[in-house]
Amino acid sequence: MDFTFNAYSYFLIFFGAITLFLSWYAYRQDHGAVRLFGLMMLSNAIWSIAYGFELATNNLSDAKFFIDIEYIGITTVPLYWLLFCLKLSGKEYWYKRTLNLSILIIVAAITSILVWTNDYHHLHYKHYFMDTSGPFPLVSIEPGISYRIFTTYFYVLLAIGSYLLISTFRKADSIYKRQNYSIIVAALIPWVTNIAYTFGFRPVENLDLTPFAFAGTITFVAIAVYRYKLFDVLPVAREKVLDLIQDGFLVIDSKYRVIDYNHALRKYLDEPNSKKIIGASIESLFPEQDAFIQCIKKHQSGKVELRLESPLGVHDLEADILYLDENQLSNNATIIKFQDLTHFKQESLRSLGQTEELKKLNQLKDRIFSIIAHDLRGPLVNLSEVLKMISNDEITIEEFKMLSPTLNKDILYTTELLENILHWSRSQLKGYGLNKEYFDLRSMIINEVNYHLPSATSKNVKIIQDVFPGIMVYADMLMIQIVVRNLLSNAIKFCYEGCEIDISSVYNRGKMMLSINDNGVGIKPETVEKLFSGENMSTRGTFNEKGTGLGLVVCKEFMERNEGTITVESELGLGTKFNLFIPFEPGNDDFIKKSDKH
């Protein structure tokens, strides 16, 4: 081959080589869009270098050889350009369809084949010859039908890709504007030049300036690579990834101003919909977080916990601070990741609460076993011994009559204790159901008063019930009866001779409030706090009656299971008032259970 290199050919070969290097550099990056950009640069390099050698040839056959090589790049440039734009705009699903990608590849392949075999059919070039009228020999062509079809295809792919690119970058954060403009300008320079060549705007006749335009492309891409880290962070890819991440991300500069963030960060801010986050100071976004701000200003990397309140709620966060020193650009950046620990902390607190509840339950269980071992065993042993003595004629009938009141008290205490242990144990069993129903509160109270009249009469305690007739409540009657029985028993136990116990009811807080009020010994304030926990050790009554404190634990448990509550008001020396809040109609849980049965 005979070559006469000129300034144009040197220029194209030189910049084609640079483009070839850039395409290799871009393809090495582990990003799909960047690799497609590298392939497009490779096609440009093939086009430029082959065209440079075409301009240096002196005969038509050598020029046609390099034209055939050029078309390897010319036909694949629009293909890679469209794929690059689709990938960058997040629409890669289009070319992942086999049919769509196959059509693009077939058009490129057929065009190249038509160029290579043009001498047999003249579909791409009707006629071409070496024009020597200019400063150096140039190939002059007369386009054929294939040339015009491919040119239309070329511009259609160019237009679609440019539209996708511009519309995508228009939505990107302002922090990426210069980077976005660099890509768009770099991509459009060759296309504008090629359009000018196609429509006849040519400084030198028959000289295609499109490959020369890639010198501008290379310049812009080099700036983007060096100045804006073009291939390190792709704006669209970055936005897609960060917006999918649930953790908040924030990037600040050396002056502690926000230069980037992701959407998840907004939910932690006082103004989640604010448009003034970029450029805002870190102090303004996180006020009253002194420890966090100090860590950043002292350049301390690591994790810091902080608690934030926003319109979306209270958040417990862990901020992970990472510093990036980009010495090449003389710039410092701080990346902060915010992990929301609210759910984990709530679960932890819930677990601690369950652990504490289990601990109290175990303590209560141990106490019950202790009661069974001592308080329950003692009266039974005493009764057994007395019966044995009677059987052996060791005591007289008169002596037995003297012991009988004490034995009677022991038996009543033991019976009460057994009932409470039994009821509490059953309430702790899984699957122990409720039998809620409507029942007459006054009738149940009268029955319980009659049940306690003997013990109240023995202490000369008067029981006055003032529950209005016809009051219906909705609960498990047996459970409420056990609660009332325990409270009446306690009231009698801690009443002096001549005391009164008043029982009344009134509507209160959407429930029926049943009050059992006595003017007995009262309860110490410190004891009131532990009354329903099972921690309180019951004191003896005014007639030395024994108790365990277990009954009130059963009362609280049964009231809660019936969607009610129990409260106490007491003053030492003045008496005690227990209030039971009992539902008088089914609650939401009851409706749900009934609908489940149907």
Side-chain angles (χ1 to χ4, degrees):
M1 291 185 181
D2 183 21
F3 295 107
T4 303
F5 291 98
N6 51 63
Y8 295 103
S9 59
Y10 278 128
F11 184 88
L12 287 174
I13 294 170
F14 173 73
F15 277 100
I18 294 176
T19 307
L20 191 64
F21 169 76
L22 281 176
S23 70
W24 169 80
Y25 175 78
Y27 190 80
R28 287 182 59 211
Q29 307 304 308
D30 191 20
H31 305 290
V34 178
R35 287 193 167 183
L36 290 170
F37 189 84
L39 291 172
M40 186 179 69
M41 296 290 283
L42 175 62
S43 298
N44 292 336
I46 294 171
W47 185 0
S48 298
I49 294 172
Y51 192 51
F53 280 102
E54 178 195 336
L55 295 180
T57 58
N58 296 315
N59 60 74
L60 188 60
S61 60
D62 292 343
K64 179 61 170 63
F65 172 78
F66 287 110
I67 288 174
D68 291 345
I69 296 175
E70 287 172 40
Y71 264 84
I72 297 173
I74 291 172
T75 55
T76 53
V77 160
L79 169 63
Y80 290 133
W81 165 253
L82 180 62
L83 297 183
F84 168 72
C85 294
L86 286 169
K87 180 72 174 179
L88 206 59
S89 61
K91 294 178 172 55
E92 62 270 21
Y93 61 86
W94 188 89
Y95 66 75
K96 287 184 178 179
R97 297 172 183 167
T98 306
L99 178 61
N100 295 340
L101 185 60
S102 299
I103 292 172
L104 295 176
I105 295 173
I106 288 171
V107 172
I110 290 175
T111 303
S112 297
I113 293 171
L114 289 174
V115 172
W116 298 340
T117 60
N118 188 74
D119 291 343
Y120 299 101
H121 48 72
H122 299 286
L123 292 174
H124 201 77
Y125 299 131
K126 287 184 179 180
H127 178 65
Y128 59 94
F129 62 93
M130 186 66 75
D131 182 5
T132 57
S133 61
F136 51 88
L138 287 171
V139 177
S140 178
I141 63 169
E142 182 180 349
I145 184 65
S146 170
Y147 184 96
R148 298 185 188 281
I149 292 174
F150 175 74
T151 302
T152 304
Y153 163 83
F154 190 100
Y155 290 143
V156 168
L157 296 193
L158 165 64
I160 294 173
S162 300
Y163 171 77
L164 291 172
L165 200 65
I166 292 171
S167 62
T168 299
F169 283 156
R170 188 175 55 193
K171 301 174 185 176
D173 284 346
S174 57
I175 192 71
Y176 287 106
K177 280 186 177 178
R178 288 176 294 180
Q179 178 176 331
N180 300 343
Y181 292 153
S182 297
I183 297 176
I184 293 173
V185 172
L188 292 182
I189 287 176
W191 311 137
V192 173
T193 306
N194 184 260
I195 291 171
Y197 170 78
T198 302
F199 286 94
F201 299 100
R202 307 172 185 175
V204 178
E205 186 64 27
N206 298 322
L207 180 64
D208 186 357
L209 294 180
T210 304
F212 292 91
F214 281 105
T217 297
I218 293 166
T219 302
F220 274 95
V221 171
I223 292 172
V225 169
Y226 178 79
R227 182 67 182 86
Y228 306 125
K229 298 296 179 183
L230 173 62
F231 296 136
D232 290 341
V233 182
L234 282 173
V236 178
R238 158 259 175 209
E239 288 173 3
K240 283 180 65 179
V241 172
L242 289 185
D243 287 345
L244 287 173
I245 296 175
Q246 297 299 314
D247 294 334
F249 278 87
L250 184 68
V251 183
I252 59 175
D253 61 14
S254 57
K255 295 182 179 179
Y256 314 114
R257 297 172 303 187
V258 177
I259 58 176
D260 200 7
Y261 66 96
N262 72 332
H263 185 74
L265 180 76
R266 287 182 172 272
K267 62 186 176 184
Y268 307 133
L269 305 180
D270 289 336
E271 298 181 18
N273 299 320
S274 174
K275 296 181 179 179
K276 299 180 180 180
I277 298 177
I278 297 293
S281 66
I282 191 72
E283 292 97 334
S284 65
L285 292 182
F286 300 98
E288 301 179 8
Q289 298 295 331
D290 297 335
F292 171 60
I293 300 299
Q294 287 303 315
C295 283
I296 295 174
K297 291 189 173 182
K298 290 179 180 178
H299 220 65
Q300 295 176 350
S301 60
K303 297 180 179 180
V304 181
E305 289 192 4
L306 55 157
R307 187 177 180 85
L308 299 175
E309 291 187 20
S310 75
L312 299 179
V314 179
H315 307 278
D316 292 297
L317 305 178
E318 181 182 74
D320 194 356
I321 305 170
L322 176 66
Y323 296 91
L324 297 178
D325 296 320
E326 300 290 351
N327 295 326
Q328 186 180 12
L329 301 178
S330 300
N331 187 26
N332 295 329
T334 304
I335 298 177
I336 307 169
K337 183 187 82 168
F338 295 92
Q339 184 178 6
D340 197 337
L341 302 179
T342 308
H343 176 71
F344 299 107
K345 288 213 169 186
Q346 288 174 347
E347 286 296 322
S348 176
L349 289 173
R350 191 177 292 113
S351 297
L352 285 173
Q354 290 173 345
T355 303
E356 194 64 30
E357 190 67 28
L358 186 60
K359 184 179 176 182
K360 289 181 179 179
L361 197 60
N362 283 331
Q363 289 174 348
L364 184 57
K365 179 195 68 177
D366 293 341
R367 184 178 166 194
I368 289 172
F369 284 132
S370 176
I371 290 169
I372 293 172
H374 297 89
D375 294 20
L376 190 60
R377 181 175 175 272
L380 292 175
V381 169
N382 291 340
L383 180 60
S384 174
E385 289 297 324
V386 170
L387 292 174
K388 189 186 296 183
M389 291 168 69
I390 292 174
S391 178
N392 295 331
D393 295 325
E394 294 179 7
I395 60 173
T396 65
I397 297 298
E398 287 74 17
E399 290 174 326
F400 175 73
K401 287 181 179 180
M402 291 175 61
L403 292 172
S404 62
T406 304
L407 291 175
N408 186 51
K409 286 182 181 178
D410 285 346
I411 290 171
L412 287 175
Y413 166 75
T414 304
T415 303
E416 181 186 329
L417 176 60
L418 278 173
E419 281 187 359
N420 282 327
I421 291 174
L422 176 62
H423 293 314
W424 180 83
S425 301
R426 289 179 66 191
S427 72
Q428 301 303 310
L429 290 176
K430 261 188 176 180
Y432 180 73
L434 299 176
N435 183 27
K436 290 187 179 182
E437 59 184 343
Y438 288 101
F439 64 90
D440 190 313
L441 183 62
R442 186 172 185 270
S443 297
M444 188 270 289
I445 294 298
I446 290 173
N447 289 336
E448 287 305 307
V449 169
N450 291 334
Y451 177 83
H452 286 88
L453 271 179
S455 57
T457 304
S458 67
K459 294 184 72 171
N460 195 25
V461 172
K462 189 176 182 181
I463 302 177
I464 303 171
Q465 75 86 15
D466 189 23
V467 178
F468 197 75
I471 292 178
M472 303 296 290
V473 293
Y474 185 81
D476 187 313
M477 189 176 73
L478 178 61
M479 285 189 173
I480 303 301
Q481 188 176 354
I482 291 166
V483 173
V484 172
R485 183 170 297 179
N486 271 288
L487 296 181
L488 277 176
S489 178
N490 281 345
I492 295 169
K493 185 187 301 182
F494 294 104
C495 270
Y496 299 105
E497 279 193 278
C499 284
E500 287 186 358
I501 300 173
D502 294 314
I503 305 173
S504 61
S505 63
V506 66
Y507 286 102
N508 185 284
R509 300 195 307 198
K511 289 183 171 62
M512 181 60 62
M513 184 177 79
L514 178 67
S515 300
I516 300 175
N517 187 16
D518 68 70
N519 55 355
V521 297
I523 308 171
K524 296 177 181 178
E526 59 271 20
T527 304
V528 171
E529 297 177 3
K530 301 185 290 185
L531 209 55
F532 301 107
S533 64
E535 298 175 26
N536 177 52
M537 297 299 292
S538 177
T539 55
R540 290 185 178 263
T542 54
F543 275 24
N544 204 34
E545 301 99 326
K546 290 192 293 184
T548 62
L550 183 61
L552 291 177
V553 176
V554 173
C555 291
K556 180 175 182 292
E557 178 79 22
F558 281 5
M559 289 304 299
E560 289 178 350
R561 294 198 63 171
N562 282 277
E563 297 184 61
T565 53
I566 179 171
T567 62
V568 59
E569 304 168 21
S570 185
E571 191 171 344
L572 195 62
L574 296 179
T576 304
K577 181 181 181 181
F578 282 94
N579 299 312
L580 303 179
F581 294 89
I582 309 169
F584 54 83
E585 61 183 13
N588 292 332
D589 291 344
D590 299 309
F591 282 124
I592 292 170
K593 288 173 184 175
K594 286 182 179 180
S595 62
D596 288 343
K597 289 179 182 178
H598 293 296

Coordinates of all heavy atoms in Angstrom, one line a residue, residues 27 48 141 224 261 297 302 304 313 334 357 432 446 450 476 504 517 589:
Y27 N -14.0 0.1 29.6 CA -14.5 -1.3 29.6 C -14.1 -2.1 30.8 O -14.7 -3.0 31.3 CB -14.1 -2.0 28.3 CG -14.8 -3.4 28.1 CD1 -16.0 -3.4 27.6 CD2 -14.1 -4.6 28.5 CE1 -16.7 -4.7 27.5 CE2 -14.8 -5.8 28.4 CZ -16.0 -5.8 27.8 OH -16.7 -7.0 27.7
S48 N -12.2 6.2 13.3 CA -11.3 7.3 13.2 C -9.9 6.8 12.6 O -9.4 7.4 11.7 CB -11.0 7.9 14.6 OG -12.2 8.5 15.1
I141 N -18.2 9.8 -3.3 CA -19.3 8.7 -3.4 C -20.6 9.3 -3.8 O -20.9 10.5 -3.7 CB -19.5 8.0 -2.0 CG1 -20.0 9.0 -1.0 CG2 -18.2 7.4 -1.5 CD1 -20.5 8.3 0.3
A224 N -14.3 14.8 32.2 CA -15.3 14.1 33.0 C -14.7 13.0 33.8 O -15.0 12.8 35.0 CB -16.4 13.6 32.2
Y261 N -27.3 13.1 48.9 CA -28.1 12.3 49.9 C -29.0 11.4 49.1 O -29.2 11.5 47.9 CB -28.9 13.3 50.8 CG -30.0 14.0 50.1 CD1 -31.3 13.5 50.1 CD2 -29.7 15.2 49.4 CE1 -32.3 14.2 49.4 CE2 -30.7 15.8 48.7 CZ -32.0 15.3 48.7 OH -33.0 16.0 48.1
K297 N -16.7 17.0 63.2 CA -15.8 18.1 63.1 C -14.4 17.7 63.6 O -13.4 18.3 63.2 CB -16.3 19.3 64.0 CG -17.6 19.9 63.3 CD -18.0 21.2 64.0 CE -19.1 21.9 63.2 NZ -19.5 23.2 63.9
G302 N -16.3 6.2 62.6 CA -16.8 5.3 63.5 C -18.3 5.4 63.6 O -19.0 6.1 62.8
V304 N -21.9 6.3 65.7 CA -22.5 7.2 66.8 C -24.0 7.0 66.8 O -24.6 6.9 65.8 CB -22.2 8.7 66.5 CG1 -22.8 9.5 67.6 CG2 -20.7 8.9 66.4
G313 N -42.2 10.4 63.2 CA -42.0 9.6 64.4 C -40.7 9.8 65.1 O -39.9 10.7 64.6
T334 N -17.1 13.4 53.3 CA -17.5 12.6 54.4 C -18.8 11.9 54.0 O -19.8 12.6 53.7 CB -17.8 13.4 55.7 OG1 -16.6 14.2 56.0 CG2 -18.1 12.5 56.9
E357 N -41.0 -9.9 83.2 CA -42.2 -10.5 83.5 C -42.1 -11.9 83.9 O -42.7 -12.4 84.8 CB -43.2 -10.3 82.3 CG -44.6 -10.7 82.6 CD -45.3 -9.7 83.6 OE1 -44.9 -8.5 83.6 OE2 -46.2 -10.1 84.3
Y432 N -56.8 -21.7 78.4 CA -57.8 -21.5 79.4 C -58.8 -20.4 78.9 O -58.4 -19.3 78.9 CB -57.2 -21.2 80.8 CG -58.2 -21.0 81.9 CD1 -58.9 -22.1 82.4 CD2 -58.6 -19.7 82.4 CE1 -59.8 -21.9 83.4 CE2 -59.5 -19.6 83.4 CZ -60.1 -20.7 83.9 OH -61.0 -20.5 84.9
I446 N -75.1 -9.6 95.9 CA -75.9 -10.1 97.0 C -75.5 -11.5 97.4 O -75.4 -11.8 98.6 CB -77.4 -10.1 96.6 CG1 -77.9 -8.6 96.5 CG2 -78.2 -10.8 97.6 CD1 -79.3 -8.5 96.0
N450 N -73.9 -12.4 101.1 CA -74.5 -13.5 101.9 C -73.4 -14.6 102.3 O -73.4 -15.1 103.4 CB -75.7 -14.2 101.2 CG -76.9 -13.3 101.1 OD1 -77.1 -12.4 101.9 ND2 -77.7 -13.5 100.1
D476 N -66.7 -12.7 82.3 CA -66.8 -14.0 82.8 C -67.3 -13.9 84.3 O -66.6 -13.5 85.1 CB -65.5 -14.7 82.7 CG -65.5 -16.2 83.1 OD1 -66.1 -16.5 84.1 OD2 -64.9 -17.0 82.4
S504 N -70.8 -0.1 96.1 CA -71.6 0.8 95.2 C -71.1 0.6 93.8 O -70.0 0.1 93.5 CB -71.5 2.2 95.6 OG -70.2 2.7 95.6
N517 N -65.5 -0.3 99.5 CA -64.9 0.7 100.3 C -65.0 0.3 101.8 O -66.1 0.0 102.2 CB -65.5 2.1 100.0 CG -64.7 3.2 100.7 OD1 -63.6 3.0 101.2 ND2 -65.4 4.3 100.8
D589 N -62.2 -7.1 70.7 CA -61.7 -8.5 70.7 C -62.8 -9.5 70.7 O -62.8 -10.6 70.1 CB -60.8 -8.7 71.9 CG -59.5 -7.9 71.8 OD1 -59.2 -7.5 70.7 OD2 -58.8 -7.8 72.8

